[in-house]
Amino acid sequence: RAELLYHASEVTLFEHPGGLAVLLADFGYDKQPKDGAVLSVEPRREIKSVTSALRGPLPFERKCERLEIKTPFLDPVDVVILR
């Protein structure tokens, strides 16, 4: 239910009654897109805010059942919190 549109990455989704956490890990640090990547999540709940543990609030938009979140350049890991 979560994927990062960047080939050299790993995404792990953790669900909790208080929100969702998505761990992002980069395995191609020197080959990342300079403008970041798009994280796609199917939250199955209302989400009002998305925040990067390292970079603060992130822009997001709902597309049907999924949220598309613009993520910054990974350094080489980050956690994105959806509430």
Side-chain angles (χ1 to χ4, degrees):
R1 297 185 344 167
E3 60 187 65
L4 185 64
L5 303 179
Y6 166 59
H7 70 283
S9 64
E10 181 174 277
V11 176
T12 306
L13 174 66
F14 298 93
E15 298 185 63
H16 183 273
L20 305 173
V22 183
L23 173 63
L24 305 176
D26 171 36
F27 297 107
Y29 187 73
D30 60 337
K31 298 175 182 158
Q32 284 191 50
K34 298 296 180 202
D35 57 349
V38 175
L39 172 63
S40 178
V41 179
E42 184 181 348
R44 297 184 184 164
R45 63 176 85 184
E46 183 180 359
I47 299 297
K48 295 181 179 178
S49 68
V50 176
T51 306
S52 158
L54 297 176
R55 309 282 170 83
L58 297 177
F60 67 97
E61 65 179 299
R62 183 169 287 280
K63 291 198 175 178
C64 297
E65 298 294 317
R66 302 187 74 82
L67 291 182
E68 289 196 354
I69 304 158
K70 183 71 174 166
T71 63
F73 190 78
L74 299 176
D75 195 19
V77 298
D78 199 355
V79 177
V80 176
I81 308 295
L82 295 86
R83 294 191 173 154

